[in-house]
Amino acid sequence: MTMITRGRVRAFLAIALICAPPGMASAGEREVVRAKFEPPDGKTMVLIGCDWSDGFKQYKHLTGDTPAGGVFWYEFNGDTDFFWHNARGVVGENGVLHVNFNLVSNTGGSLKPYLEGKKDAEIKKIGEAFKAWGHPLLVTIGTECDFPGNKGYTSQQFIAVYRKIRKMWEGLGVMNVAYVVHFIGNAGNPRWTSYYPGDDLVDWVAFSFYWFDKDLPHVREIARIARKHRKPVMIAESGPLNGEARSWEDWHGPFLKHASSLGVKAICYNNWREPPVDRAFHNSAFDRLPRPVAEAWGRAMEAPSFLHASPALYATLGAQAQAVARPADGPEMDEAGGEMISVRRVSLSLSQEGDCLLSVDTRGEVPPIDDPQGKPATIAGLPNAKVTLEEDGTHRVVYSFGDVATTADFAGLNGSLMPIDGLSIDKTAGTLLLTPILVGKGPVKKSSFSFPRYQKAPLSATIDFEKFDNYTVFLTLKFAEGLLQVRVSPRHPGWEQDGSRLGATFTPIVNKRAGKESVMLEGRLEPEKLAEYAFHVPADPSILGQRSELNVH
C-alpha cells in the first residue's frame, strides 16, 4: 500500500494595524525619522496570528483581505524548523513576520539559563536563521515581560537578557530585525516601566489589548510614554474573548476605533481556533465568528490606510530584503538548511505481552517486502484484501489500490462513508493520497485512514510511502482501554516546538476518559538509514489482548 500523507500543522499568524499618532507633525513641518520597519504616517500594517496551518488561508477566504504578514510564538530551544515554516510557508517573501519569544513558561520561571550562558547556542542558531532569511522581522524578546505571574525574575534580569540577546544577534550581523518590548497591557504590575530596556535597545513598544474598559486607561499611558520616547506602538496581542463577538459592534468595530485613537502602528490579532492554553479565546478565529463579522472586517481592511503583503511593502517600510542563504552543494537540503529526510517505510509490530518493534526506513532504495509464505485464506468482510494464513497462526492482510479498484472496505476513511470529502484517491496508480483539501467553504478536514476490521495482537502493520518528506504521520492502535500511538515526522514545522521527529506514547482509557500519557520513545530521524526501536507498552496484557482498531492519519 502506497500513500502520501500530510498532517495538520500548528502555525501561528497575526494582524498588525498602523495609524498615525495624534498630533504628529507632517513632513512639511519637520523631518520625521521613522523607527526600523515603521510604516509611514497614516498607514497600517495588518498581521494575522496564532492559529493552525490553514488559519491564514481561512482568514483570506472569509475576509477577502491579504494581511501584511503573520505572528507566531516561539521559544529558545534550538529548533528553527518552526520559524522556517512560518517564514516561507505562511508569510512568504512579500510579508512581515512578528516572532514573539517566550522566555519562560506561562506559570513563570527563571532567567538564569540565559544569564549563565546555557542558552547561548540556541540564541545563536536562531539568530543565524534570522540572518539567512533576510526579510523584515519584528521580534519580541519576552512576551508580556512585566506579567505579574513571572515571579522567577526581576526587571533588571529581564533587561540584562534582552540586551544580551540583541547584542549577540548584532554580533552575528543580523540586520533584518526590529526589536520589540511587549508589556501586558493592564495595570496588573504598577512597576511596568522598570522593565523598559532603554531607547538604545528598543525599536517598537507593544502591549496586549483584550478588555476595553479594564485595559484602556493603562494602554493609553503606555502609548503616551512610547510617543515620548519616539517609539512606534504595536498591539502585540488582541482578540475577543469567548462569546464577546456576536456582532461587529460587540468587539471588532470598537477595537479598530480604539486602535486608531491610541495611534498604534501595528495590531496583532490572535486568529485563535484551538488555543493550547486558554480556552477563553476559543472563538476569536474568523471562521468561528458570525460570517457578517468577518465580512465587515474585510471591508474595513479595504481602507487605503491599511498595508498588505505585496512586492512594494518592504520599500514602504524602508526595508530591503537580503538574499536568502542556500547551500551551494552537498546532500539535498530542505528550505531550513537541514539535510532532507524522506521516509519510505514505517512498520510497527505488537506482541501479546506488549513488546513493540518500530522500524523506520529513510533509505532511497527500500528493499521490497517479502512475499507472503502462508496459505491463501479469507476473512469475512474483507473481499478486496489478499489474505494468507502464516505458519505462526496469524493472518497476513495486504491491501493494494493498484490491484483493487474499489475502496468499499475502507468505510472509515475520514470518518465517513463514500463519497469521501477531503481526500483524493487514485485507485489506478496504486496510490492513496491523504492530502487535506478545502471542502466547499468549510475548514480543511483532517484526513485519516482506518483499517475496516478490528484485530488482536500479535499484529504488525507496514506502510510504504512514495514520498513522505514533510509533516507528520500518526499510526494508532485503539483498544477499548488504551491508545497506542506512534508518530513519524521527517520535517514537521514545530512539533510541540521541540524539533522531535519520532515518538511513541500509550494513553490508558478508564470509563471512556483518557488517563496519564506514558512516553515510551522520543528521538530524531536520520537520513538514509534503516532504524529499529524496541520498547514495551506499560499496559496490562489483558488490555493488549483486546481487539484494536488501526488508524493512520
Side-chain angles (χ1 to χ4, degrees), residues 227-292:
R227 288 195 296 273
K228 181 179 178 181
H229 287 262
R230 298 184 182 276
K231 303 296 180 183
V233 179
M234 171 196 297
I235 296 179
E237 294 184 23
S238 63
L241 301 184
N242 219 356
E244 283 190 348
R246 295 178 298 275
S247 70
W248 175 254
E249 292 300 327
D250 285 341
W251 195 90
H252 294 80
F255 171 73
L256 291 181
K257 293 178 181 178
H258 288 313
S260 178
S261 69
L262 289 166
V264 301
K265 288 211 165 184
I267 296 174
C268 301
Y269 180 92
N270 293 352
N271 197 43
W272 233 310
R273 179 180 299 159
E274 298 177 20
V277 178
D278 194 341
R279 291 286 171 182
F281 301 97
H282 182 73
N283 284 335
S284 62
F286 277 97
D287 66 347
R288 299 295 176 88
L289 298 175
R291 188 62 179 265

Side-chain angles (χ1 to χ4, degrees), residues 165-495:
I165 293 173
R166 173 161 182 165
K167 294 303 181 182
M168 283 185 65
W169 286 345
E170 289 178 343
L172 294 173
V174 179
M175 304 297 292
N176 58 316
V177 168
Y179 294 87
V180 183
V181 60
H182 176 191
F183 299 108
I184 189 172
N186 61 49
N189 190 339
R191 298 184 62 253
W192 67 273
T193 55
S194 67
Y195 288 80
Y196 184 68
D199 288 348
D200 60 325
L201 297 174
V202 173
D203 296 310
W204 287 69
V205 173
F207 53 80
S208 302
F209 191 32
Y210 296 107
W211 299 275
F212 303 151
D213 294 339
K214 185 174 73 172
D215 292 354
L216 198 55
H218 186 58
V219 299
R220 281 175 176 162
E221 179 64 9
I222 295 176
R224 184 188 69 80
I225 292 178
R227 288 195 296 273
K228 181 179 178 181
H229 287 262
R230 298 184 182 276
K231 303 296 180 183
V233 179
M234 171 196 297
I235 296 179
E237 294 184 23
S238 63
L241 301 184
N242 219 356
E244 283 190 348
R246 295 178 298 275
S247 70
W248 175 254
E249 292 300 327
D250 285 341
W251 195 90
H252 294 80
F255 171 73
L256 291 181
K257 293 178 181 178
H258 288 313
S260 178
S261 69
L262 289 166
V264 301
K265 288 211 165 184
I267 296 174
C268 301
Y269 180 92
N270 293 352
N271 197 43
W272 233 310
R273 179 180 299 159
E274 298 177 20
V277 178
D278 194 341
R279 291 286 171 182
F281 301 97
H282 182 73
N283 284 335
S284 62
F286 277 97
D287 66 347
R288 299 295 176 88
L289 298 175
R291 188 62 179 265
V293 174
E295 293 173 346
W297 180 275
R299 290 192 296 271
M301 295 298 106
E302 294 175 358
S305 59
F306 290 96
L307 297 175
H308 307 274
S310 72
L313 177 61
Y314 293 167
T316 302
L317 300 178
Q320 183 175 358
Q322 306 163 10
V324 179
R326 296 179 183 274
D329 50 24
E332 184 182 3
M333 310 294 282
D334 65 15
E335 60 189 15
E339 188 169 352
M340 180 68 74
I341 297 176
S342 182
V343 175
R344 301 301 302 275
R345 178 176 294 163
V346 176
S347 298
L348 176 67
S349 299
L350 172 67
S351 73
Q352 292 174 314
E353 293 75 28
D355 295 319
C356 282
L357 180 64
L358 174 65
S359 172
V360 182
D361 202 336
T362 61
R363 295 174 294 178
E365 296 296 329
V366 179
I369 299 176
D370 294 335
D371 293 331
Q373 301 299 315
K375 300 177 181 179
T378 59
I379 295 180
L382 299 180
N384 297 316
K386 291 182 178 180
V387 183
T388 56
L389 178 62
E390 302 300 305
E391 292 184 356
D392 59 2
T394 61
H395 286 85
R396 177 167 175 168
V397 182
V398 178
Y399 276 85
S400 172
F401 283 88
D403 301 327
V404 180
T406 178
T407 56
D409 285 337
F410 296 91
L413 280 170
N414 209 33
S416 63
L417 298 175
M418 298 288 285
I420 302 167
D421 290 334
L423 293 177
S424 173
I425 298 178
D426 181 355
K427 296 182 286 291
T428 59
T431 301
L432 171 63
L433 299 171
L434 283 87
T435 305
I437 59 174
L438 190 64
V439 180
K441 296 182 179 180
V444 173
K445 294 185 177 182
K446 182 173 66 174
S447 302
S448 63
F449 154 75
S450 298
F451 192 77
R453 297 293 181 269
Y454 288 100
Q455 302 295 314
K456 286 186 177 182
L459 57 84
S460 64
T462 298
I463 307 170
D464 283 340
F465 298 91
E466 180 178 291
K467 182 182 181 183
F468 175 28
D469 57 14
N470 208 344
Y471 302 97
T472 299
V473 65
F474 296 89
L475 194 154
T476 304
L477 288 174
K478 184 177 181 181
F479 305 87
E481 299 179 65
L483 190 73
L484 171 62
Q485 185 172 80
V486 170
R487 74 174 189 277
V488 178
S489 176
R491 184 158 295 280
H492 186 305
W495 170 260

Side-chain angles (χ1 to χ4, degrees), residues 476-524:
T476 304
L477 288 174
K478 184 177 181 181
F479 305 87
E481 299 179 65
L483 190 73
L484 171 62
Q485 185 172 80
V486 170
R487 74 174 189 277
V488 178
S489 176
R491 184 158 295 280
H492 186 305
W495 170 260
E496 294 184 354
Q497 298 189 21
D498 64 3
S500 299
R501 293 173 182 163
L502 183 70
T505 59
F506 180 79
T507 305
I509 300 175
V510 181
N511 297 326
K512 297 184 179 181
R513 292 181 178 271
K516 183 178 180 180
E517 180 183 83
S518 298
V519 179
M520 300 165 294
L521 175 65
E522 192 74 53
R524 286 181 175 269

